[in-house]
Amino acid sequence: MACHEIAALRLGLMNILGIDDPAERAHELAELGPAAEAPGPISAMLRAGDLKSLSRLFEGSLADLQEKVAKTPAGDEKIAYLRSLLILTKQVELDLRAQVDGLGRLYRELEEMHDFVHEIYPAE
């Protein structure tokens, strides 16, 4: 069982951040296997063009993961791994949200700082 949600998120972030590392990309694609081509949020994350879309798709992949865990019988040997994956991906979801929120705040504060400079130096 692979951590498809994390691998897909990493590939999406590589695109958005402009990280060009063929070895790392190949590693993550190998982790995904056929899931990289299957319809759904996992494969869509590989093509996300912005952080908002990537975050939304990641949340969609978590909904799919939660459904998979809910359908897995309690005695299944994979259930402990799947539950641990839910915990990991929830933490990643919270961290990603904080990063996106932080960048949004930075964007807004840049305008505030720019206006402040013009208050101090109105002729500039």
Side-chain angles (χ1 to χ4, degrees):
M1 176 113 353
C3 302
H4 291 160
E5 298 77 13
I6 302 300
L9 180 61
R10 285 182 44 102
L11 286 164
L13 285 171
M14 286 177 74
N15 290 337
I16 291 168
L17 298 174
I19 297 171
D20 185 21
D21 185 336
E24 199 62 32
R25 183 167 180 70
H27 171 78
E28 298 301 348
L29 285 170
E31 179 85 16
L32 286 173
E37 301 296 326
I42 295 289
S43 62
M45 277 193 272
L46 281 62
R47 297 178 303 280
D50 57 70
L51 279 172
K52 186 174 182 177
S53 296
L54 183 61
S55 296
R56 189 181 81 263
L57 290 164
F58 185 69
E59 289 172 7
S61 76
L62 299 187
D64 290 351
L65 177 60
Q66 289 171 346
E67 185 177 322
K68 183 177 186 175
V69 171
K71 290 180 179 178
T72 303
D76 190 304
E77 64 183 34
K78 297 176 187 170
I79 193 68
Y81 169 79
L82 289 171
R83 287 177 177 158
S84 296
L85 186 56
L86 274 178
I87 295 167
L88 167 67
T89 54
K90 182 61 176 181
Q91 182 61 53
V92 170
E93 177 189 23
L94 295 173
D95 289 345
L96 181 60
R97 185 181 309 150
Q99 293 296 324
V100 171
D101 290 348
L103 286 170
R105 187 177 57 254
L106 172 63
Y107 174 79
R108 291 185 303 276
E109 289 173 355
L110 286 172
E111 180 62 21
E112 183 179 333
M113 199 60 204
H114 180 235
D115 291 345
F116 182 65
V117 168
H118 285 292
E119 286 177 26
I120 294 172
Y121 300 102
E124 300 297 320

